[in-house]
Amino acid sequence: MVETVLVTGGTGFVGGWCIRELLERGYAVRTTLRSLSKEPALRAAVGAEGPAGERLAVFIADLTSDEGWGAAMAGCDYVLHVASPLGGGVDDEALIGPARDGTLRVLRAAVAAGVKRVVMTSAAATARPPRDSGKDSDESVWADPADPQFDGYRRSKILAERAAWDFMASAGGVTTLTTVLPSAVFGPVLSKENLGSVRIIQGIMQGRPARLPRLGFWVVDVRDLADIHIRAMTSPDAAGQRFIAAGDYMWMEDMAKALRSALGPAAAKVPTRRMPDFAFRLASRFTPQLRFFTPELGRKMGLSSEKARRVLGFSPRPATTTVVECAQSLPGAE
């Protein structure tokens, strides 16, 4: 019997890849959109045109409203709760409210429908210790949302995941919860909508910033992230667990070198010079999102996916491959 999976936020970068992978593996898939006007573009992006498209259904539902979630959830075996508001200059509460309250809406509907398991996309930041603790990030760590290192987006992820675990502890019923905590998500884009962290690669390709800061990321490929969501969905050992999903660490300077080496003339605008550390620290005073990184200039904080590898067989591809294929897939890339 074909099992049915609901993916929230189907037009998102991660959500789109989850839908595509589920369809390829034979699942019946549902997804939620705020408007049916986006359905044709979604189907084209995830390859749901033709026979596979018969297994994709679209429902109207929004994280800020209870309407539509019961219908979307009815009869589902699993839920991948991927949708979450992204940062971009809005105030903290505009992110925190929809992320936290939207998560609770999804969980209430899933529990009411008797869904087997909800897999929620959190963030590696939710497992980040205080800067002066001397500890590395792992699944046993819970970040403090009041820590000044976090911007509104990261606080929203911390508070949403906390709310999810608290709710399921008291009201989960037969439904189990698993959370996936990805690092910086790159990889091939399916559409130009909701690029998220891919904008970092897009900026480098366009020559922004003109000089590269001593800044790096634990890279996870969006295809590997979709795969670990599905593994977490079906593995009996994943119930009630958190899993960090991170691959290789890569400095921005190394990203730039990889892009120039692999793409040749197409990477002509990629920066070649280093930004002085003092200049980046100065910029971070006026850009809250940069404060998360500034004190770690020239140093990488420990982040391990050992648990995901051991329990789920997570096997991320090389970061260089992810970064190059990400750039090649960007709108306008040759």
Side-chain angles (χ1 to χ4, degrees):
M1 182 177 178
V2 175
E3 293 183 304
T4 301
V5 185
L6 173 66
V7 180
T8 66
T11 57
F13 181 39
V14 178
W17 272 104
C18 287
I19 293 171
R20 185 164 178 158
E21 284 296 312
L22 287 164
L23 290 174
E24 289 184 356
R25 300 182 195 196
Y27 289 94
V29 183
R30 299 179 184 179
T31 192
T32 56
L33 301 178
R34 287 180 292 178
S35 169
L36 286 179
S37 64
K38 296 182 178 181
E39 182 177 354
L42 167 67
R43 289 184 175 274
V46 302
E49 297 172 319
E54 296 177 3
R55 288 186 281 109
L56 175 63
V58 176
F59 289 76
I60 299 299
D62 191 299
L63 293 178
T64 62
S65 171
D66 292 335
E67 187 176 355
W69 288 108
M73 206 74 68
C76 285
D77 297 284
Y78 304 103
V79 175
L80 302 185
H81 178 41
V82 183
S84 184
L86 297 174
V90 298
D91 63 274
D92 287 7
E93 194 54 38
L95 296 171
I96 292 170
R100 180 190 56 218
D101 299 342
T103 292
L104 293 176
R105 283 190 175 90
V106 170
L107 291 176
R108 281 194 293 267
V111 170
V115 166
K116 297 176 186 177
R117 180 171 300 164
V118 177
V119 179
M120 174 184 171
T121 311
S122 186
T126 68
R128 184 162 177 169
R131 283 178 169 141
D132 57 358
S133 68
K135 297 180 180 179
D136 291 337
S137 296
D138 66 43
E139 290 88 351
S140 69
V141 174
W142 274 101
D144 180 359
D147 191 322
Q149 70 176 301
F150 298 121
D151 58 12
Y153 170 73
R154 291 175 176 86
R155 278 194 288 273
S156 77
K157 301 299 281 189
I158 296 167
L159 292 168
E161 191 188 350
R162 272 290 195 187
W165 285 114
D166 289 345
F167 174 83
M168 293 301 288
S170 61
V174 299
T175 304
T176 59
L177 175 66
T178 301
T179 56
V180 175
L181 286 55
S183 53
V185 186
F186 301 118
V189 300
L190 297 177
S191 75
K192 64 181 180 180
E193 301 293 329
N194 299 325
L195 295 181
S197 53
V198 169
R199 295 188 187 280
I200 294 170
I201 306 298
Q202 185 180 55
I204 294 174
M205 289 293 293
Q206 295 173 348
R208 298 181 283 105
R211 296 193 178 195
L212 298 165
R214 183 62 173 168
L215 175 62
F217 306 91
W218 291 95
V219 174
V220 63
D221 192 291
V222 67
R223 295 164 291 187
D224 298 328
L225 185 55
D227 177 67
I228 195 176
H229 274 75
I230 298 171
R231 290 171 181 259
M233 179 182 84
T234 57
S235 171
D237 295 331
Q241 299 294 320
R242 307 170 80 205
F243 294 97
I244 291 173
D248 302 329
Y249 192 87
M250 201 168 188
W251 298 107
M252 286 186 73
E253 290 173 284
D254 292 330
M255 290 180 181
K257 290 176 184 176
L259 293 171
R260 290 195 300 270
S261 174
L263 303 181
K269 294 181 180 179
V270 171
T272 59
R273 294 184 295 174
R274 170 92 174 272
M275 177 188 293
D277 288 353
F278 79 86
F280 186 64
R281 288 192 174 92
L282 180 63
S284 72
R285 295 182 183 180
F286 305 98
T287 309
Q289 292 86 347
L290 296 180
R291 295 172 195 160
F292 183 71
F293 302 102
T294 306
E296 279 71 51
L297 281 169
R299 179 174 68 87
K300 63 181 182 181
M301 177 174 284
L303 183 67
S304 172
S305 291
E306 187 279 330
K307 180 180 176 181
R309 294 172 188 267
R310 172 171 46 84
V311 178
L312 299 177
F314 178 55
S315 182
R317 66 199 73 200
T320 298
T321 300
T322 297
V323 168
V324 170
E325 293 183 359
C326 179
Q328 290 173 321
S329 72
L330 288 169
E334 297 180 0

